[in-house]
Amino acid sequence: MIKTVKDVDLKGKRVIMRVDFNVPMKDGVVQDDTRIMAALPTIKYIVEQKPRSLVLMSHLGDPKKDVKKAQEKAEKAGKAWTEADAEKFIEGKNRMKPVVEYFSQKLGMPVTFLPDALGQKSAIDALPEGAVAMLENVRFHKEETSKDSAERDTMAKELASYGDIFVNDAFGTAHRDQASTASIAKFMPVESVGGFLMEKEVKYIQPMVTNPEKPMIAIIGGAKVSSKIAVLESLLKNASALVIGGGMAYTFLKAQGHKVGKSLVEDDFIDTAKKLLADAEAKGAKIILPVDHVGAEEFSADAKPVAVDGTDIPDNLMAMDVGPKTIELYKEVIGSAKSIVWNGPVGVFEFDAFAKGTETVAKLVAEATERGAMTVVGGGDSVAAVNKFHLADKMSHVSTGGGASLEFLEGKTLPGIAILATK
């Protein structure tokens, strides 16, 4: 296991901490504080240990990319775009100051905003004993995300000069080798440890890849096979069954020779699907694919649901959700599980008419948790789903990282975790 803030003496030390405060913003107002609240336990613990100072750093979108997208959108709509528009957009979307003000209220103590990520050494040294400060968005500096390690190191070295101990509690960026997530660890005077959120992510996700309690069931959904191949291959090593749903299921059904109508299919990955099916059979793992569907003539929230009582889908329809027979299969396989990983919805749950399959999966996983199974919901849309159905607190663990949890489930070493001291 990784070392955490509880394994080091923080009293009188300067602590620099990477958090994931990359929260949705609209006109300078925080829209969802889930990530801020997730970091609070570690931050409060550090403050209680009476450090010399605690300096927080995070990204908040990517100013250059975000401005480019906004400009393209404005120009597409026939609107002029000026430098003033760009600055106003950045103020409302990428500046950390409003996040700091919001966070300060949640922490219940003042938090000093430092107007840049670099050049802040003297300001940090001048902070009163025990103060908490936050740097401006680290992605205003191209070195943060540079592919050139020497460039990243230049920024990382300066960030490291702000503290004695580095704490990484930003699991959402742990899969990125960036100045503030991984490179900084090379230059820390004492050591680098994880926060409580990072500890929890490692504690729950790592065993699912290495040594889960069996039977282990993986429920993998979402739109595309291409984005989930590595996860399927990784989890197949330990899974008793793979439940494959969502848009990606129709590439597998087509690979089996079924008619899929207008459903989403990645023809370039049919051979890949065939290989995964063969690998599963060779390992004795079940693959659960939809045997009936809820279809529609078009991809729309207002589309009329059409029941398809069979595996083949008529030419005029696209599958939007699984049908009742498939749900019965889910109940059977999930009901016997001792470990469950769920990554990706099994239907278009955003549209209420096509949400039943995903809602049922969420309920079945919640029931399994209550029964004593270890259940991990891995990032992205599956997190949005358990939140929509108010079941997030019924799971063993709901991951805070989309891309990070996906790569962790693929069995990859994440740079932001690899640099942390172990015990």
Side-chain angles (χ1 to χ4, degrees), residues 96-106 111:
M96 200 59 79
K97 192 175 182 184
V99 178
V100 173
E101 288 164 1
Y102 182 94
F103 163 64
S104 177
Q105 291 175 356
K106 294 295 178 184
V111 177

Side-chain angles (χ1 to χ4, degrees), residues 225 244-261 263-267 269-270 273-274 277 287-293 308 310-313 319 321-322 326 329-330:
V225 179
I244 298 175
M248 62 189 286
Y250 304 101
T251 300
F252 280 87
L253 288 176
K254 190 170 180 180
Q256 289 181 331
H258 292 289
K259 292 179 179 176
V260 294
S263 306
L264 181 67
V265 168
E266 289 179 283
D267 286 317
F269 286 88
I270 284 176
K274 284 179 180 174
L277 290 167
I287 296 267
I288 309 293
L289 288 163
V291 293
D292 61 344
H293 320 271
V308 179
T311 309
D312 293 318
I313 300 162
D321 196 8
V322 295
T326 307
L329 286 177
Y330 290 173

Side-chain angles (χ1 to χ4, degrees), residues 21 23 29-45 47-48 54 56 97-111 132 134:
F21 282 6
V23 294
V29 178
V30 174
Q31 303 296 300
D32 181 339
D33 68 358
T34 305
R35 287 173 174 164
I36 292 172
M37 299 309 287
L40 266 183
T42 305
I43 293 165
K44 284 182 173 176
Y45 175 83
V47 170
E48 285 164 7
L54 169 59
L56 305 171
K97 192 175 182 184
V99 178
V100 173
E101 288 164 1
Y102 182 94
F103 163 64
S104 177
Q105 291 175 356
K106 294 295 178 184
L107 184 61
M109 66 180 282
V111 177
V132 179
M134 180 139 205

Side-chain angles (χ1 to χ4, degrees), residues 79-385:
K79 294 175 185 172
W81 182 265
T82 65
E83 285 291 322
D85 291 322
E87 190 48 47
K88 187 182 175 187
F89 176 84
I90 285 171
E91 287 293 332
K93 176 92 173 169
N94 304 111
R95 294 278 177 206
M96 200 59 79
K97 192 175 182 184
V99 178
V100 173
E101 288 164 1
Y102 182 94
F103 163 64
S104 177
Q105 291 175 356
K106 294 295 178 184
L107 184 61
M109 66 180 282
V111 177
T112 303
F113 172 63
L114 299 169
D116 199 340
L118 300 179
Q120 301 303 310
K121 178 82 167 58
S122 56
I124 291 166
D125 288 346
L127 288 170
E129 194 85 19
V132 179
M134 180 139 205
L135 304 174
E136 178 58 283
N137 182 352
V138 290
R139 287 194 185 167
F140 277 111
H141 296 274
K142 65 180 175 61
E143 295 88 349
E144 164 69 2
T145 55
S146 174
K147 299 281 187 261
D148 182 331
S149 62
E151 272 193 0
R152 285 200 311 275
D153 283 356
T154 304
M155 181 171 176
K157 202 168 187 176
E158 183 161 350
L159 293 173
S161 73
Y162 301 162
D164 305 307
I165 293 172
F166 171 53
V167 178
N168 193 358
D169 211 22
F171 179 73
T173 57
H175 59 314
R176 306 284 186 218
D177 188 353
Q178 296 176 347
S180 69
T181 63
S183 299
I184 183 174
K186 292 185 277 188
F187 306 104
M188 293 310 302
V190 182
E191 64 183 336
S192 301
V193 297
F196 299 142
L197 181 62
M198 188 71 84
E199 179 186 36
K200 194 179 179 200
E201 295 278 7
V202 173
K203 177 186 167 185
Y204 281 99
I205 299 178
Q206 199 164 48
M208 289 294 181
V209 180
T210 55
N211 187 29
E213 194 177 350
K214 295 178 181 176
M216 191 271 262
I217 308 300
I219 306 160
I220 307 297
K224 295 182 175 181
V225 179
S226 51
S227 63
K228 300 284 173 85
I229 292 165
V231 171
L232 289 164
E233 288 174 341
S234 170
L235 295 177
L236 189 55
K237 291 169 191 168
N238 289 303
S240 309
L242 289 181
V243 174
I244 298 175
M248 62 189 286
Y250 304 101
T251 300
F252 280 87
L253 288 176
K254 190 170 180 180
Q256 289 181 331
H258 292 289
K259 292 179 179 176
V260 294
K262 296 193 289 183
S263 306
L264 181 67
V265 168
E266 289 179 283
D267 286 317
D268 292 350
F269 286 88
I270 284 176
D271 286 342
T272 305
K274 284 179 180 174
K275 184 181 181 301
L276 278 163
L277 290 167
D279 288 349
E281 192 176 347
K283 286 186 168 71
K286 282 184 192 170
I287 296 267
I288 309 293
L289 288 163
V291 293
D292 61 344
H293 320 271
V294 179
E297 290 193 5
E298 59 179 15
F299 188 87
S300 161
D302 304 320
K304 184 185 173 187
V306 181
V308 179
D309 186 20
T311 309
D312 293 318
I313 300 162
D315 291 345
N316 65 321
L317 296 177
M318 64 180 75
M320 301 279 276
D321 196 8
V322 295
K325 289 178 183 173
T326 307
I327 286 172
E328 286 307 310
L329 286 177
Y330 290 173
K331 285 179 182 172
E332 193 181 317
V333 74
I334 294 170
S336 66
K338 288 190 177 172
S339 304
I340 299 171
V341 176
W342 179 21
N343 187 287
V346 298
V348 189
F349 76 97
E350 303 92 328
F351 302 160
D352 289 345
F354 307 103
K356 190 174 181 186
T358 302
E359 183 177 12
T360 303
V361 167
K363 285 176 177 172
L364 289 170
V365 176
E367 285 166 14
T369 315
E370 200 174 341
R371 224 177 35 240
M374 177 78 81
T375 60
V376 172
V377 181
D381 286 339
S382 32
V383 174

